[in-house]
Amino acid sequence: MTKKTFTLLLCTLLVSVWPAAGQQLTQLSGVVTDPTGAVIPNATLVLEDADRGLRRETTSDSQGRYAFPQVQPGTYKLTGKAAGFAEVIVNNIALLVNTPTTVNVQFEKVGAVAETVSVSAETVQVNTIDASMGNAIGSMPILQLPSFARNVTRLLQLQPGVTVFGNVNGGKSDQGNVTLDGIDVNDQMERTAFTSVLRVTLDSVQEFRTTTTNANADQGRSSGAQVSLVTKSGSNDWHGSAYWYHRNTATAANDFFNNLSGVKRPKLLINLPGASAGGPIRKNKLFFFLNWEQRNDRSEANVSRTVPSELLRQGVVQYRNRDGQLVRLGAQDIRSRIDPRGIGPNPAVLQLFNTYPAPNDFTLGDGLNIQGFRFVAPLQLRWNTYTARFDYAVNAKHNLFFRGQLQNDRSTGSPQFPGEQPNNASLANAKGLAIGYNAVLGPNIFSNFRYGITRLSRETTGIQSASAVSFRNINDRYGLTTGISRQLPLHQFGEDMNWTKGSHAFQFGAIFRFISNQSNNFGRSFHSASTNVSWLRGTGADIQPPDLAPSDRTAYNDAMMALLGIVSLGTARYNYTIDGKVLPVGAPISRDFRNEEYEMYFQDTWRMKRNLTLTYGLRWSLMPPIHEANGVQISTNIPMGQWFNQRGALADQGKSQEEAGRIIFISKNDPKARPIYPFRKRNVAPRFAIAWSPDAEKGLSRLLFGGAGKTSIRAGWGMFYDVIGQPLSRTYDTSAFGFASTLSNPSGQLTAVNAPRFTGLNNLPPELIRPALPGGFPIQFPASGAGSFAITNTIDDGLQMPYTMNMNFSIGREFGKGWFLQGSYVGRQSRRSLMNRDLAMPTNMTDPQSGQTYFEAASLLAQQVNSNTPVANVGRIPFFENFFNNFRTASETATQQVYRVARFYPNDFTSALADIDEFCDPDCGRLGANMMMNPQFSALSAWSSIAGGNYHALQWTLRK
C-alpha cells in the first residue's frame, strides 16, 4: 500500500455514505453509455471477485441502467460487453459494507470483439443516492489507526456528531444498534453505546459502517446510530498473521491526585497476543478464516474511598459556626451538650473507625470530618476471543456463509482497602453464530436470508454474606458487593428481497427477534440499616448546636450521626416464590424476562433522472410488551398513570389524597391484570430522502458545482422508534411488590432519644426491620400508620413508545486531487421520551376559598423561616388558615402554629408537611390525615412518556 493510498483510507473516516439492504451487504449501480453519452441498452455486465469465487451477471435496461444489489463487501472487477463496442474492464472497485457505489461504464470505441479497454475505478466521494449520513471504515485504517488495547469501537467516536458518551447527533446513547454480519449483537439489557456483545478484534473485522443520521427504511431499528460490522472471509490466496502487542507503564503518567496524595503511579501492563489464518479449503468454492486473540492485563487501578478523619475516630466532630469560626466538639462536649441520652461517642463506632486506614487525600469528603483515602489496587484481566468464518460459493447465483464466535473472559475488581480480597470478580462467556444465504432468484430479483444467535452470559460475584449497617457518606469498612448472573440469548431471523424494475429499486423484508433475559440477582437479598439523619424527626435538629452554620449542616449531621451510632433507617427486603413463600435472607431473585420484536419494511429507490434520486419507505415495528416467562409479574388495581392524574385532579379541587384510592397489587394471572405496558401496533415509521447532483457542464454552474457527479445536494426526513423492552425490565427485575418487597420504618417517627444505637456491623436493630408481609395476591402495601413505608418503582402501564423525527440537509462538493468538502444541517425532534417521575410526592393542593396553592403558601413560610422571623410577626397565609384552622389557639393563628413546626425542620419542608399532614402532629388538617401526602408510599417512581425536545447542529467535513 502506498502512502497516498493510506492517507485516502485514513480520511475515509469522514465520508458520508448510505446503507443497503441486509445490513451487511452493499450494492453497485450505474449507467452504460457510448462515447457520445447516449445510453446503451441490453449491455452485459459481469461483476467478479476471483479470490472468493464470486460472480454476478446482469444487463442494462432500456435507459442504460444496471444494478447489482445484495453484494458482499470486497474488491471487484466489472466487465462490460455490448455489440459493436470494445469490451470494458473496470478494476479495483472497492465495495464497502452498507455503502452502495456508483460506477458509470462508458464504451470507448467501436472495434473488434477481441479488443479490451481496462480502467481503474476512482473512489466515489459524493453520495448521489439518499440523505443518510455516516462513514465506512475499511480494514487497513482499522489495523493502522492507533487505538487503546486494539479496541475497534473507539474508532466509532471519530464520526461527526458523536460524543464520547455515545450520543449521536442529539440521540440517546442507549438507542444505538449494532449488527455483526447482519445479526443483532447489542447488549439488550445495558444498551451501552457502541458496544457489541461479541467482541470484534481488529484482525477479524473486514470493515464497519456507521449511519449517524437518517438511515433508510431497511435500517433504523432504533433512533440512534446504526453500526454494521463484517468479519473477514477467506479467499483463494493463503493469508496469515501472528502478532503480539505490548503496552507498559513507561508510556503512562501518574494521576494528579495520586501525586498530591503521595500515591505511586499504577502499573499498566497490557499484552495482546493473537494469530489469524485464511485461505481456500476448495478453490473457488469453500473458504475459511480463523482468528484467536487474547488480552492479558496485569495492571493496577486508582481507587478512592471516604474514611473517618483522624479527629473523628478520636471522638471529635468539627463544624463552622455562623461567624465562620471552626469549632471542635470533644467527647465530653458531645456527651453533655449534644447527645440527649448523655452517652456521647459510641464505643463500637470508635473501635470500627480505628480499623480504617488513615486518610491521605484531603480533596475528598466534606473537608471537616470525612476525608479521602487513595491507593492503587491490582487489576487482573484475561480475555480470549475465538472467531471462525466459512464461505461457500454454491454457484454464480447462490452462496452461503457461517460465522461462529466464542469468548472466555475473567477479570477482578478492586478491594475495599489495600491487602483485602477483591470486592468482585467478573466472568463472561459470550457465544454467537450467523448463517447467511444469498441467492439470485431471477434477472432482477435477489434474496438475502440470515439466521443468528447471540448469547450473552455474564456473572459478577460479590463478597457480602450478611445484612449490614452503613454510615452515611463514609465508605463501608468491608465490601458489601453482591453478585448477579445473567444469560441473555437472542435468536434472529431476517430476510431481504430486492427487485429492480426500470428506474425503481424496490426493497422489502422482515426481521424477527426472540429475546430471553434470565438472571439470578443478589442485589436485594439482604436487609440493611443506616445512620440517615433525614429519617429522624426534625432531621437531626435535636443533635445540632445552635450556632451551626447552615452550609455545614449536612457535613455535621453525617459525622455526628455516625459518631453517636444513631441507626435511624432500617430497610427489610423479602423475596417470595410464586406460591407466596418467603425466601431466606441471602437467596437470589430469579427472573426470566422475554420479548419479541417483529419488523417489516418497504423501500423504493427511484432514479427519477440520472442525476435525481428519490428514496422513500416505511418501517413497521411490532413490539409486544416484555413479560416474565414464569409468571413473576404484577399489575395494579388502578392504572398508575390514572392514579397519578387522579391525585393531581384532587389536589386542584382541594380534595384529600385519600380519595385517590389505595394501590393493590395483583398477579399476572388475575383477570384484571394488565401488561407492563401496552402493545402498540401502529408504530409505522416513514422515511424520505432526495439527492440531486447538478450536471453543471459549463459556465458558472460548472465553476460552482465542478461538473457532473462532483456535487450532491441532499435532504432527508425520517421517523424512528426507540427500543425500550429489556432496558425497562430492570425496573421489574427486583422490585415487583409481592415478589420482591422492600419495607422501611416510617420517616419522622424516631428522634435521637429513642432511635437505636450501633452495636456492630452486622447487628441490625430488630425494631427497624419490619416483619415480612404474608405472601400471595392480591396484596396491599400497608399505610405508614401500620409501621412501614415504601420507596419503590414501577412502570406506567399507559406508556407509549418514544420516537424521534430526524432531518438533515447536506451539500457536498468534490474538488481536484482528492479534496472533498461537505456542510450539513442535522436536526432531531424527540417525542414521548421516557422519564422517571415521582408519582407519590406531596401534591400541590389548591385552597378553593383563596385560590392559593400549597407550594405558594410553603414558599412564603420558607422565606420567614430562613430569615428567623419571630412567631409573633408571622402573618396569616390563607392556605394554612383554611386547611389547618383547627391549629388556632387563643394567642396564635393557624399559620403561626404551622410556622413553629416548619422552623423545627430548616431546609426540609417535606418533613414538616409529614408532621402536620400525615402524622397529625400537633393535629390533622380540616380534611383529616393525608390531604397531600400519600398514605402508602414515601416515593413511588414510574417510567412514563413525556413530551420531548429538539436538537440542531451544523457539521462541516473537509477531507482529502
PDB file of all heavy atoms in Angstrom, residues 654-680:
ATOM      1  N   GLY A 654     -58.923  20.802  45.690  1.00  0.00           N
ATOM      2  CA  GLY A 654     -58.847  20.973  47.133  1.00  0.00           C
ATOM      3  C   GLY A 654     -59.372  19.792  47.902  1.00  0.00           C
ATOM      4  O   GLY A 654     -59.854  19.941  49.037  1.00  0.00           O
ATOM      5  N   LYS A 655     -59.263  18.588  47.309  1.00  0.00           N
ATOM      6  CA  LYS A 655     -59.762  17.381  47.958  1.00  0.00           C
ATOM      7  C   LYS A 655     -58.605  16.525  48.464  1.00  0.00           C
ATOM      8  O   LYS A 655     -57.478  16.620  47.986  1.00  0.00           O
ATOM      9  CB  LYS A 655     -60.628  16.580  46.995  1.00  0.00           C
ATOM     10  CG  LYS A 655     -61.894  17.300  46.574  1.00  0.00           C
ATOM     11  CD  LYS A 655     -62.741  16.433  45.651  1.00  0.00           C
ATOM     12  CE  LYS A 655     -64.033  17.144  45.255  1.00  0.00           C
ATOM     13  NZ  LYS A 655     -64.867  16.290  44.352  1.00  0.00           N
ATOM     14  N   SER A 656     -58.899  15.646  49.418  1.00  0.00           N
ATOM     15  CA  SER A 656     -57.874  14.841  50.073  1.00  0.00           C
ATOM     16  C   SER A 656     -57.344  13.749  49.149  1.00  0.00           C
ATOM     17  O   SER A 656     -58.076  13.195  48.316  1.00  0.00           O
ATOM     18  CB  SER A 656     -58.447  14.198  51.339  1.00  0.00           C
ATOM     19  OG  SER A 656     -57.532  13.264  51.887  1.00  0.00           O
ATOM     20  N   GLN A 657     -56.065  13.410  49.361  1.00  0.00           N
ATOM     21  CA  GLN A 657     -55.453  12.335  48.595  1.00  0.00           C
ATOM     22  C   GLN A 657     -56.038  10.977  48.947  1.00  0.00           C
ATOM     23  O   GLN A 657     -55.877  10.024  48.186  1.00  0.00           O
ATOM     24  CB  GLN A 657     -53.943  12.322  48.833  1.00  0.00           C
ATOM     25  CG  GLN A 657     -53.220  13.451  48.139  1.00  0.00           C
ATOM     26  CD  GLN A 657     -53.426  13.427  46.634  1.00  0.00           C
ATOM     27  OE1 GLN A 657     -52.985  12.506  45.964  1.00  0.00           O
ATOM     28  NE2 GLN A 657     -54.130  14.426  46.109  1.00  0.00           N
ATOM     29  N   GLU A 658     -56.700  10.865  50.053  1.00  0.00           N
ATOM     30  CA  GLU A 658     -57.326   9.593  50.411  1.00  0.00           C
ATOM     31  C   GLU A 658     -58.373   9.190  49.371  1.00  0.00           C
ATOM     32  O   GLU A 658     -58.680   8.005  49.196  1.00  0.00           O
ATOM     33  CB  GLU A 658     -57.976   9.693  51.796  1.00  0.00           C
ATOM     34  CG  GLU A 658     -56.985   9.666  52.948  1.00  0.00           C
ATOM     35  CD  GLU A 658     -56.438   8.276  53.219  1.00  0.00           C
ATOM     36  OE1 GLU A 658     -56.673   7.358  52.405  1.00  0.00           O
ATOM     37  OE2 GLU A 658     -55.758   8.103  54.241  1.00  0.00           O
ATOM     38  N   GLU A 659     -58.922  10.164  48.651  1.00  0.00           N
ATOM     39  CA  GLU A 659     -59.934   9.857  47.652  1.00  0.00           C
ATOM     40  C   GLU A 659     -59.346   9.218  46.400  1.00  0.00           C
ATOM     41  O   GLU A 659     -60.096   8.700  45.558  1.00  0.00           O
ATOM     42  CB  GLU A 659     -60.696  11.128  47.275  1.00  0.00           C
ATOM     43  CG  GLU A 659     -61.492  11.740  48.416  1.00  0.00           C
ATOM     44  CD  GLU A 659     -62.340  12.907  47.950  1.00  0.00           C
ATOM     45  OE1 GLU A 659     -62.855  12.834  46.808  1.00  0.00           O
ATOM     46  OE2 GLU A 659     -62.494  13.879  48.707  1.00  0.00           O
ATOM     47  N   ALA A 660     -58.015   9.258  46.242  1.00  0.00           N
ATOM     48  CA  ALA A 660     -57.391   8.644  45.066  1.00  0.00           C
ATOM     49  C   ALA A 660     -57.413   7.126  45.151  1.00  0.00           C
ATOM     50  O   ALA A 660     -57.248   6.441  44.136  1.00  0.00           O
ATOM     51  CB  ALA A 660     -55.947   9.134  44.917  1.00  0.00           C
ATOM     52  N   GLY A 661     -57.620   6.592  46.331  1.00  0.00           N
ATOM     53  CA  GLY A 661     -57.673   5.144  46.495  1.00  0.00           C
ATOM     54  C   GLY A 661     -56.317   4.567  46.848  1.00  0.00           C
ATOM     55  O   GLY A 661     -55.276   5.201  46.690  1.00  0.00           O
ATOM     56  N   ARG A 662     -56.346   3.339  47.340  1.00  0.00           N
ATOM     57  CA  ARG A 662     -55.122   2.634  47.722  1.00  0.00           C
ATOM     58  C   ARG A 662     -54.675   1.715  46.584  1.00  0.00           C
ATOM     59  O   ARG A 662     -55.504   1.098  45.908  1.00  0.00           O
ATOM     60  CB  ARG A 662     -55.349   1.810  48.991  1.00  0.00           C
ATOM     61  CG  ARG A 662     -55.778   2.636  50.202  1.00  0.00           C
ATOM     62  CD  ARG A 662     -54.656   3.539  50.685  1.00  0.00           C
ATOM     63  NE  ARG A 662     -55.059   4.409  51.768  1.00  0.00           N
ATOM     64  CZ  ARG A 662     -54.915   4.121  53.068  1.00  0.00           C
ATOM     65  NH1 ARG A 662     -54.406   2.948  53.423  1.00  0.00           N
ATOM     66  NH2 ARG A 662     -55.273   4.985  53.989  1.00  0.00           N
ATOM     67  N   ILE A 663     -53.375   1.611  46.428  1.00  0.00           N
ATOM     68  CA  ILE A 663     -52.811   0.742  45.395  1.00  0.00           C
ATOM     69  C   ILE A 663     -52.793  -0.692  45.913  1.00  0.00           C
ATOM     70  O   ILE A 663     -52.230  -0.986  46.973  1.00  0.00           O
ATOM     71  CB  ILE A 663     -51.391   1.184  45.005  1.00  0.00           C
ATOM     72  CG1 ILE A 663     -51.432   2.574  44.365  1.00  0.00           C
ATOM     73  CG2 ILE A 663     -50.757   0.182  44.054  1.00  0.00           C
ATOM     74  CD1 ILE A 663     -52.211   2.640  43.081  1.00  0.00           C
ATOM     75  N   ILE A 664     -53.403  -1.572  45.160  1.00  0.00           N
ATOM     76  CA  ILE A 664     -53.387  -3.003  45.464  1.00  0.00           C
ATOM     77  C   ILE A 664     -52.699  -3.716  44.313  1.00  0.00           C
ATOM     78  O   ILE A 664     -53.012  -3.469  43.142  1.00  0.00           O
ATOM     79  CB  ILE A 664     -54.825  -3.545  45.646  1.00  0.00           C
ATOM     80  CG1 ILE A 664     -55.510  -2.838  46.824  1.00  0.00           C
ATOM     81  CG2 ILE A 664     -54.817  -5.057  45.849  1.00  0.00           C
ATOM     82  CD1 ILE A 664     -56.982  -3.202  46.972  1.00  0.00           C
ATOM     83  N   PHE A 665     -51.754  -4.577  44.638  1.00  0.00           N
ATOM     84  CA  PHE A 665     -51.001  -5.304  43.617  1.00  0.00           C
ATOM     85  C   PHE A 665     -51.665  -6.648  43.358  1.00  0.00           C
ATOM     86  O   PHE A 665     -52.040  -7.366  44.292  1.00  0.00           O
ATOM     87  CB  PHE A 665     -49.555  -5.506  44.059  1.00  0.00           C
ATOM     88  CG  PHE A 665     -48.808  -4.204  44.219  1.00  0.00           C
ATOM     89  CD1 PHE A 665     -48.741  -3.573  45.459  1.00  0.00           C
ATOM     90  CD2 PHE A 665     -48.193  -3.606  43.150  1.00  0.00           C
ATOM     91  CE1 PHE A 665     -48.077  -2.375  45.618  1.00  0.00           C
ATOM     92  CE2 PHE A 665     -47.513  -2.400  43.283  1.00  0.00           C
ATOM     93  CZ  PHE A 665     -47.459  -1.781  44.518  1.00  0.00           C
ATOM     94  N   ILE A 666     -51.813  -6.973  42.082  1.00  0.00           N
ATOM     95  CA  ILE A 666     -52.401  -8.244  41.672  1.00  0.00           C
ATOM     96  C   ILE A 666     -51.419  -8.981  40.786  1.00  0.00           C
ATOM     97  O   ILE A 666     -50.516  -8.383  40.201  1.00  0.00           O
ATOM     98  CB  ILE A 666     -53.747  -8.030  40.943  1.00  0.00           C
ATOM     99  CG1 ILE A 666     -53.555  -7.105  39.735  1.00  0.00           C
ATOM    100  CG2 ILE A 666     -54.779  -7.460  41.890  1.00  0.00           C
ATOM    101  CD1 ILE A 666     -54.829  -6.836  38.967  1.00  0.00           C
ATOM    102  N   SER A 667     -51.572 -10.284  40.694  1.00  0.00           N
ATOM    103  CA  SER A 667     -50.627 -11.094  39.932  1.00  0.00           C
ATOM    104  C   SER A 667     -50.956 -11.054  38.446  1.00  0.00           C
ATOM    105  O   SER A 667     -52.048 -10.621  38.029  1.00  0.00           O
ATOM    106  CB  SER A 667     -50.643 -12.541  40.423  1.00  0.00           C
ATOM    107  OG  SER A 667     -51.856 -13.167  40.044  1.00  0.00           O
ATOM    108  N   LYS A 668     -50.026 -11.519  37.666  1.00  0.00           N
ATOM    109  CA  LYS A 668     -50.174 -11.548  36.212  1.00  0.00           C
ATOM    110  C   LYS A 668     -51.371 -12.379  35.784  1.00  0.00           C
ATOM    111  O   LYS A 668     -52.003 -12.091  34.760  1.00  0.00           O
ATOM    112  CB  LYS A 668     -48.884 -12.106  35.596  1.00  0.00           C
ATOM    113  CG  LYS A 668     -48.913 -12.293  34.108  1.00  0.00           C
ATOM    114  CD  LYS A 668     -47.610 -12.921  33.629  1.00  0.00           C
ATOM    115  CE  LYS A 668     -47.621 -13.174  32.130  1.00  0.00           C
ATOM    116  NZ  LYS A 668     -46.362 -13.822  31.683  1.00  0.00           N
ATOM    117  N   ASN A 669     -51.716 -13.398  36.571  1.00  0.00           N
ATOM    118  CA  ASN A 669     -52.811 -14.302  36.202  1.00  0.00           C
ATOM    119  C   ASN A 669     -54.189 -13.792  36.604  1.00  0.00           C
ATOM    120  O   ASN A 669     -55.191 -14.424  36.282  1.00  0.00           O
ATOM    121  CB  ASN A 669     -52.569 -15.676  36.838  1.00  0.00           C
ATOM    122  CG  ASN A 669     -51.283 -16.317  36.350  1.00  0.00           C
ATOM    123  OD1 ASN A 669     -50.926 -16.172  35.187  1.00  0.00           O
ATOM    124  ND2 ASN A 669     -50.575 -17.005  37.243  1.00  0.00           N
ATOM    125  N   ASP A 670     -54.237 -12.669  37.298  1.00  0.00           N
ATOM    126  CA  ASP A 670     -55.527 -12.100  37.679  1.00  0.00           C
ATOM    127  C   ASP A 670     -56.259 -11.609  36.432  1.00  0.00           C
ATOM    128  O   ASP A 670     -55.649 -10.996  35.542  1.00  0.00           O
ATOM    129  CB  ASP A 670     -55.305 -10.937  38.656  1.00  0.00           C
ATOM    130  CG  ASP A 670     -56.589 -10.480  39.317  1.00  0.00           C
ATOM    131  OD1 ASP A 670     -57.458  -9.945  38.604  1.00  0.00           O
ATOM    132  OD2 ASP A 670     -56.720 -10.653  40.538  1.00  0.00           O
ATOM    133  N   PRO A 671     -57.570 -11.861  36.317  1.00  0.00           N
ATOM    134  CA  PRO A 671     -58.312 -11.403  35.131  1.00  0.00           C
ATOM    135  C   PRO A 671     -58.233  -9.900  34.897  1.00  0.00           C
ATOM    136  O   PRO A 671     -58.373  -9.431  33.762  1.00  0.00           O
ATOM    137  CB  PRO A 671     -59.753 -11.841  35.424  1.00  0.00           C
ATOM    138  CG  PRO A 671     -59.623 -12.961  36.407  1.00  0.00           C
ATOM    139  CD  PRO A 671     -58.421 -12.648  37.234  1.00  0.00           C
ATOM    140  N   LYS A 672     -57.997  -9.116  35.978  1.00  0.00           N
ATOM    141  CA  LYS A 672     -57.933  -7.671  35.844  1.00  0.00           C
ATOM    142  C   LYS A 672     -56.514  -7.166  35.580  1.00  0.00           C
ATOM    143  O   LYS A 672     -56.305  -5.951  35.466  1.00  0.00           O
ATOM    144  CB  LYS A 672     -58.474  -7.012  37.114  1.00  0.00           C
ATOM    145  CG  LYS A 672     -59.946  -7.311  37.384  1.00  0.00           C
ATOM    146  CD  LYS A 672     -60.422  -6.616  38.648  1.00  0.00           C
ATOM    147  CE  LYS A 672     -61.894  -6.916  38.937  1.00  0.00           C
ATOM    148  NZ  LYS A 672     -62.359  -6.255  40.182  1.00  0.00           N
ATOM    149  N   ALA A 673     -55.545  -8.076  35.502  1.00  0.00           N
ATOM    150  CA  ALA A 673     -54.155  -7.677  35.309  1.00  0.00           C
ATOM    151  C   ALA A 673     -53.940  -7.113  33.910  1.00  0.00           C
ATOM    152  O   ALA A 673     -54.613  -7.501  32.949  1.00  0.00           O
ATOM    153  CB  ALA A 673     -53.225  -8.860  35.555  1.00  0.00           C
ATOM    154  N   ARG A 674     -53.015  -6.204  33.798  1.00  0.00           N
ATOM    155  CA  ARG A 674     -52.661  -5.597  32.522  1.00  0.00           C
ATOM    156  C   ARG A 674     -51.183  -5.856  32.247  1.00  0.00           C
ATOM    157  O   ARG A 674     -50.402  -6.089  33.168  1.00  0.00           O
ATOM    158  CB  ARG A 674     -52.928  -4.084  32.560  1.00  0.00           C
ATOM    159  CG  ARG A 674     -54.377  -3.722  32.826  1.00  0.00           C
ATOM    160  CD  ARG A 674     -54.544  -2.217  33.011  1.00  0.00           C
ATOM    161  NE  ARG A 674     -53.691  -1.692  34.066  1.00  0.00           N
ATOM    162  CZ  ARG A 674     -53.965  -1.806  35.366  1.00  0.00           C
ATOM    163  NH1 ARG A 674     -55.062  -2.430  35.778  1.00  0.00           N
ATOM    164  NH2 ARG A 674     -53.146  -1.301  36.258  1.00  0.00           N
ATOM    165  N   PRO A 675     -50.766  -5.819  30.991  1.00  0.00           N
ATOM    166  CA  PRO A 675     -49.337  -5.995  30.699  1.00  0.00           C
ATOM    167  C   PRO A 675     -48.521  -4.841  31.269  1.00  0.00           C
ATOM    168  O   PRO A 675     -49.064  -3.807  31.679  1.00  0.00           O
ATOM    169  CB  PRO A 675     -49.289  -6.024  29.168  1.00  0.00           C
ATOM    170  CG  PRO A 675     -50.519  -5.322  28.727  1.00  0.00           C
ATOM    171  CD  PRO A 675     -51.562  -5.619  29.767  1.00  0.00           C
ATOM    172  N   ILE A 676     -47.202  -5.015  31.307  1.00  0.00           N
ATOM    173  CA  ILE A 676     -46.326  -3.986  31.874  1.00  0.00           C
ATOM    174  C   ILE A 676     -46.528  -2.656  31.157  1.00  0.00           C
ATOM    175  O   ILE A 676     -46.524  -1.591  31.773  1.00  0.00           O
ATOM    176  CB  ILE A 676     -44.861  -4.447  31.805  1.00  0.00           C
ATOM    177  CG1 ILE A 676     -44.658  -5.670  32.716  1.00  0.00           C
ATOM    178  CG2 ILE A 676     -43.915  -3.334  32.210  1.00  0.00           C
ATOM    179  CD1 ILE A 676     -43.260  -6.241  32.672  1.00  0.00           C
ATOM    180  N   TYR A 677     -46.685  -2.698  29.854  1.00  0.00           N
ATOM    181  CA  TYR A 677     -47.056  -1.524  29.074  1.00  0.00           C
ATOM    182  C   TYR A 677     -47.825  -2.021  27.854  1.00  0.00           C
ATOM    183  O   TYR A 677     -47.740  -3.189  27.491  1.00  0.00           O
ATOM    184  CB  TYR A 677     -45.847  -0.672  28.672  1.00  0.00           C
ATOM    185  CG  TYR A 677     -44.738  -1.432  27.987  1.00  0.00           C
ATOM    186  CD1 TYR A 677     -44.741  -1.649  26.611  1.00  0.00           C
ATOM    187  CD2 TYR A 677     -43.656  -1.929  28.722  1.00  0.00           C
ATOM    188  CE1 TYR A 677     -43.721  -2.338  25.986  1.00  0.00           C
ATOM    189  CE2 TYR A 677     -42.638  -2.619  28.103  1.00  0.00           C
ATOM    190  CZ  TYR A 677     -42.669  -2.818  26.742  1.00  0.00           C
ATOM    191  OH  TYR A 677     -41.660  -3.509  26.123  1.00  0.00           O
ATOM    192  N   PRO A 678     -48.600  -1.168  27.198  1.00  0.00           N
ATOM    193  CA  PRO A 678     -49.487  -1.640  26.132  1.00  0.00           C
ATOM    194  C   PRO A 678     -48.728  -2.114  24.896  1.00  0.00           C
ATOM    195  O   PRO A 678     -47.583  -1.721  24.650  1.00  0.00           O
ATOM    196  CB  PRO A 678     -50.348  -0.414  25.811  1.00  0.00           C
ATOM    197  CG  PRO A 678     -50.177   0.511  26.956  1.00  0.00           C
ATOM    198  CD  PRO A 678     -48.815   0.256  27.506  1.00  0.00           C
ATOM    199  N   PHE A 679     -49.379  -2.962  24.124  1.00  0.00           N
ATOM    200  CA  PHE A 679     -48.882  -3.409  22.829  1.00  0.00           C
ATOM    201  C   PHE A 679     -49.395  -2.423  21.783  1.00  0.00           C
ATOM    202  O   PHE A 679     -50.542  -2.465  21.378  1.00  0.00           O
ATOM    203  CB  PHE A 679     -49.379  -4.827  22.551  1.00  0.00           C
ATOM    204  CG  PHE A 679     -48.870  -5.414  21.253  1.00  0.00           C
ATOM    205  CD1 PHE A 679     -47.850  -4.813  20.526  1.00  0.00           C
ATOM    206  CD2 PHE A 679     -49.413  -6.594  20.756  1.00  0.00           C
ATOM    207  CE1 PHE A 679     -47.378  -5.352  19.346  1.00  0.00           C
ATOM    208  CE2 PHE A 679     -48.950  -7.144  19.577  1.00  0.00           C
ATOM    209  CZ  PHE A 679     -47.938  -6.521  18.871  1.00  0.00           C
ATOM    210  N   ARG A 680     -48.510  -1.510  21.369  1.00  0.00           N
ATOM    211  CA  ARG A 680     -48.874  -0.513  20.377  1.00  0.00           C
ATOM    212  C   ARG A 680     -48.598  -1.080  18.985  1.00  0.00           C
ATOM    213  O   ARG A 680     -47.459  -1.425  18.671  1.00  0.00           O
ATOM    214  CB  ARG A 680     -48.080   0.772  20.574  1.00  0.00           C
ATOM    215  CG  ARG A 680     -48.133   1.332  21.999  1.00  0.00           C
ATOM    216  CD  ARG A 680     -49.465   1.939  22.321  1.00  0.00           C
ATOM    217  NE  ARG A 680     -49.469   2.550  23.657  1.00  0.00           N
ATOM    218  CZ  ARG A 680     -50.519   3.142  24.198  1.00  0.00           C
ATOM    219  NH1 ARG A 680     -51.653   3.197  23.534  1.00  0.00           N
ATOM    220  NH2 ARG A 680     -50.457   3.663  25.406  1.00  0.00           N
TER     221      ARG A 680
END
